[in-house]
Amino acid sequence: MLEKAGHICAVESELLSGPGTDELRERRDAAFREAWSAIGSLTDAFHRQAPSTSAVGGELLLEARQLMTELAPST
């Protein structure tokens, strides 16, 4: 998920530094969808965790969701 978030940032940087192309937007959007899919997988794994580890896992999952919300494409 973090790898995809980094990829989103890299593509977004390209979009901001020059003329945004449809291909760049498509790459960013695909990485965004893949990152959300990874969060879905992490959520499933979280629900299978032992209660003693769920506090840390839940906090990290919440932070990941907040990061993806901040990275959401505005256009």
Side-chain angles (χ1 to χ4, degrees), residues 3-4 14 21 23 33 43 48 53 55 59 61 74:
E3 178 184 352
K4 294 300 177 193
E14 289 181 60
T21 65
E23 187 266 335
R33 286 189 301 273
T43 300
R48 293 188 300 271
T53 59
E59 179 123 4
L61 188 57
S74 58

Side-chain angles (χ1 to χ4, degrees), residues 3 6 15 25 28 74:
E3 178 184 352
L15 283 166
R25 283 185 199 75
R28 179 203 52 205
S74 58

Side-chain angles (χ1 to χ4, degrees), residues 7-65:
H7 183 71
I8 292 166
C9 290
V11 175
E12 191 69 30
S13 175
E14 289 181 60
L15 283 166
L16 292 172
S17 65
T21 65
D22 287 339
E23 187 266 335
L24 282 174
R25 283 185 199 75
E26 288 173 15
R27 284 181 29 213
R28 179 203 52 205
D29 294 347
F32 190 75
R33 286 189 301 273
E34 290 172 14
W36 271 112
S37 178
I39 287 177
S41 296
L42 290 171
T43 300
D44 292 341
F46 170 75
H47 290 295
R48 293 188 300 271
Q49 287 183 339
S52 61
T53 59
S54 64
V56 173
E59 179 123 4
L60 290 172
L61 188 57
L62 178 62
E63 292 294 329
R65 288 179 176 276

